[in-house]
Amino acid sequence: MGAWDIGPFENDNAADFAAFLDEAEQSERGEILRRVLVAVADSSDYLESDEGAEAVAAAALIAAQLPGGTAVSVAYGPKKPLPPFAPDLRELAAAALGRVLGADSELAELWDETEYGEPWRSDLAALLAVLTARP
């Protein structure tokens, strides 16, 4: 799985995604998050772990800009400043997280096979609560 902790950026796929965001033009970063979230939220096939990890990372970045959100660690997350994200990404991020936590999700299956499955799910539930809170 290439994970060293349960945080949204504490795995190889999310760290690579952060580096990709840092290399992109600032004006393109919101659209990159949108593409990742749409691919996961709209997927009805088995969700591979790498796609799930990127969606969790994208959702964490969006939640970080909302009231109650937690700042993303720059140790593994993007190091360059991110633009304010479009308001509609909030709902899209929530849908993608629901997909990652649901059936046919390799990432959820992998975490559930470990002793950290419950804390991982709890962290994602906290992200989901921020994303779905009424403004």
Side-chain angles (χ1 to χ4, degrees):
M1 177 163 50
W4 51 89
D5 208 344
I6 62 173
F9 281 93
E10 295 172 341
N11 62 78
D12 292 338
N13 291 102
D16 290 345
F17 179 64
F20 179 72
L21 284 173
D22 281 338
E23 292 171 6
E25 293 294 325
Q26 185 169 4
S27 61
E28 297 173 359
R29 294 180 188 149
E31 203 49 44
I32 291 169
L33 267 63
R34 180 180 307 281
R35 284 193 303 267
V36 165
L37 295 170
V38 165
V40 170
D42 289 352
S43 171
S44 59
D45 295 332
Y46 185 75
L47 183 63
E48 300 292 333
S49 65
D50 55 344
E51 294 169 317
E54 287 184 0
V56 169
L61 292 173
I62 293 162
Q65 292 186 356
L66 299 172
T70 303
V72 173
S73 165
V74 294
Y76 303 115
K79 294 172 182 30
K80 293 186 179 177
L82 297 167
F85 298 122
D88 69 310
L89 287 180
R90 180 182 194 157
E91 185 176 323
L92 190 55
L97 278 185
R99 180 70 179 87
V100 169
L101 287 165
D104 293 328
S105 170
E106 182 181 28
L107 189 59
E109 289 174 6
L110 290 170
W111 278 113
D112 287 343
E113 292 173 356
T114 73
E115 64 187 280
Y116 304 105
E118 205 50 46
W120 176 79
R121 285 184 174 278
S122 180
D123 279 4
L124 265 58
L127 273 179
L128 196 53
V130 169
L131 292 166
T132 58
R134 293 203 177 260

